[in-house]
Amino acid sequence: RIIRMVQEAQGSKAPVQRIVDKVTSVFVPVVLGIALLTFVVWIAVGGMGYFFHGMLSAVSVLVIACPCALGLATPTALMVGIGKAANHHILIKDALALEQMRKVNAVVLDKTGTLTEGHPTVVEYSQKEGHDALCKSILLAAEMRSEHPLAEAIVNFLQKEQLSPVSPDGFESITGKGIKVHYAGRIYWVGSRKLANDFRVDIPDTLSEPLSGGNSIVYFGRENELLAVIAVADKVKPTSAEAVNQLKHQSIDIYMLTGDGERTASAVAGQLGIEHYVAEALPDDKQAFIRKLQSQGKVVAMVGDGINDSQALASADVSIAPGRGTDIAMDVAMVTLMTSDLLLLPKAFKLSNQTVRLIHRNLFWAFIYNLIGIPIAAGVLFPVNGMLLNPMLASAAMAFSSVSVVLSSLSLGRKKL
């Protein structure tokens, strides 16, 4: 599947290629006109005695102006660029993403699973008095039905106590907040502080503050009664800080979005050197934040791995998902980092810059070649030194220009990221 996606991406067209196609559609009839004009001028100036010279020059113009170099300039560079990305575990789904990445000046990062390892563990379970084993069994049953990474940590923690999950009467996932279940005529819920606030639960800071310090806090309750506060730790990836630093050196603004509380978000952002962050962000909040940055004139890349990030990913100018992300995140994303190593992120932006610069260089020399070659083929040097370009030499020059463009594109593979 990955090989097929790379091949499809290599065959896709970047916006600059569409411009070249339009130029070529005008270029061909213009060249035909120049060839005809060359023949007419030779006959008009030199008479029928120069018929052979005029025919030779017209044919040389047609041969040397064959737009092979123009046609090869973009697709060869894209093919090498996308192939090189795949070799570095960066899967680019289409040429648009590769070209668009060079324009990005703001990167929005999800926290859980993107900046962090995505393997959270419960570090503290603070329960209310009277919170019996049945409540834990209900919590286990609820979290086993959840797809959130923190739910897996809580399930693993509770299963160590040899608990058996109950069979709840109903289950509901509340996007960006948590879940709730019905059991024995009562409503049990587990999730963020926002969900606790929906149930009008009073949470004293003295209960949650000692458990924070970079940990994610999960609240478990029954209707308007708080039953337990759970601290879940998710280690920051070893490469995250260096990746953020490299992105800053590329003059890219970094933002972090998380559904966690203010204290957790502040601690992680401080650890990674991220000045801008938004805590307690719901999926709609993430999407709104992306659009806010875009309204400020920024070209935004969103990096996220969860279902909650899919709206933001779809709204971003460039969407990027780590390889261990959810299926929906990877389907929406234009770029997938196959190893989930964030150091691949600055490499992807650098490769985009290298590839687009190469395309521009190829196009420049292809145009220069035609700009110089066509007048010479038309015989502009004949009155000066008697030089007349033979069609065979014109074809050799045309072939050389095509080969030079291909070799120029292949040079991208030797550049370091």
Side-chain angles (χ1 to χ4, degrees), residues 271-291:
Q271 186 178 346
L272 296 174
I274 299 174
E275 292 88 9
H276 312 287
Y277 65 88
V278 177
E280 299 183 357
L282 300 176
D284 289 344
D285 299 330
K286 293 180 179 182
Q287 184 180 37
F289 186 77
I290 296 289
R291 289 177 174 169

Side-chain angles (χ1 to χ4, degrees), residues 25 36 61 76 95 127 135 164 181 190 206 233 308 327-328 347 377 413:
S25 67
L36 181 62
V61 167
T76 54
Q127 65 185 42
C135 290
S164 298
V181 295
V190 54
T206 53
N308 292 347
D327 289 342
I328 188 170
K347 286 184 179 180

Side-chain angles (χ1 to χ4, degrees), residues 159-355:
Q159 284 179 336
K160 291 176 183 177
E161 298 186 16
Q162 306 298 319
L163 295 169
S164 298
V166 300
S167 297
D169 301 321
F171 170 85
E172 182 183 350
S173 176
I174 305 167
T175 305
K177 292 183 178 180
I179 55 175
K180 64 180 181 180
V181 295
H182 296 265
Y183 183 76
R186 306 290 297 271
I187 298 174
Y188 292 83
W189 53 268
V190 54
S192 67
R193 189 165 192 134
K194 283 190 175 182
L195 183 60
N197 292 339
D198 289 346
F199 282 91
R200 303 182 187 281
V201 176
D202 181 32
I203 303 173
D205 289 337
T206 53
L207 185 60
S208 58
E209 271 186 27
L211 303 180
S212 189
N215 297 327
S216 298
I217 304 300
V218 179
Y219 300 95
F220 172 51
R222 178 176 53 216
E223 295 169 353
N224 62 350
E225 178 187 4
L226 183 66
L227 297 177
V229 179
I230 309 160
V232 183
D234 190 4
K235 290 183 180 179
V236 171
K237 291 177 182 176
T239 57
S240 292
E242 178 59 24
V244 168
N245 188 46
Q246 288 187 22
L247 289 173
K248 287 181 177 179
H249 278 90
Q250 293 180 10
S251 301
I252 296 174
D253 296 329
I254 312 297
Y255 303 84
M256 185 185 78
L257 302 182
T258 177
D260 289 331
E262 172 66 27
R263 290 185 182 85
T264 303
S266 177
V268 173
Q271 186 178 346
L272 296 174
I274 299 174
E275 292 88 9
H276 312 287
Y277 65 88
V278 177
E280 299 183 357
L282 300 176
D284 289 344
D285 299 330
K286 293 180 179 182
Q287 184 180 37
F289 186 77
I290 296 289
R291 289 177 174 169
K292 177 185 174 184
L293 291 177
Q294 289 170 331
S295 68
Q296 295 171 0
K298 294 185 181 294
V299 180
V300 184
M302 172 68 193
V303 188
D305 69 333
I307 295 173
N308 292 347
D309 304 317
S310 56
Q311 287 177 243
L313 287 168
S315 299
D317 298 291
V318 177
S319 49
I320 304 171
R324 294 176 184 172
T326 58
D327 289 342
I328 188 170
M330 287 192 286
D331 284 342
V332 171
M334 300 176 182
V335 180
T336 302
L337 309 179
M338 299 305 295
T339 64
S340 295
D341 181 1
L342 268 192
L343 280 177
L344 295 179
L345 198 54
K347 286 184 179 180
F349 291 121
K350 187 175 181 180
L351 178 61
S352 173
N353 277 307
Q354 289 178 349
T355 305

Side-chain angles (χ1 to χ4, degrees), residues 354-402:
Q354 289 178 349
T355 305
V356 175
R357 277 201 303 267
L358 176 62
I359 290 172
H360 291 165
R361 187 177 72 197
N362 284 350
L363 290 174
F364 172 78
W365 286 114
F367 277 113
I368 288 294
Y369 157 78
N370 282 291
L371 199 63
I372 296 173
I374 290 175
I376 293 175
V380 74
L381 295 178
F382 186 78
V384 179
N385 56 14
M387 179 183 172
L388 196 63
L389 192 64
N390 188 290
M392 287 187 292
L393 290 176
S395 64
M398 181 270 293
F400 176 76
S401 70
S402 300

Side-chain angles (χ1 to χ4, degrees), residues 92-107:
I92 298 173
K93 293 185 181 178
D94 59 47
L96 172 63
L98 184 62
E99 185 175 346
Q100 188 78 347
M101 278 193 290
R102 65 180 280 270
K103 301 175 185 176
V104 167
N105 52 20
V107 170

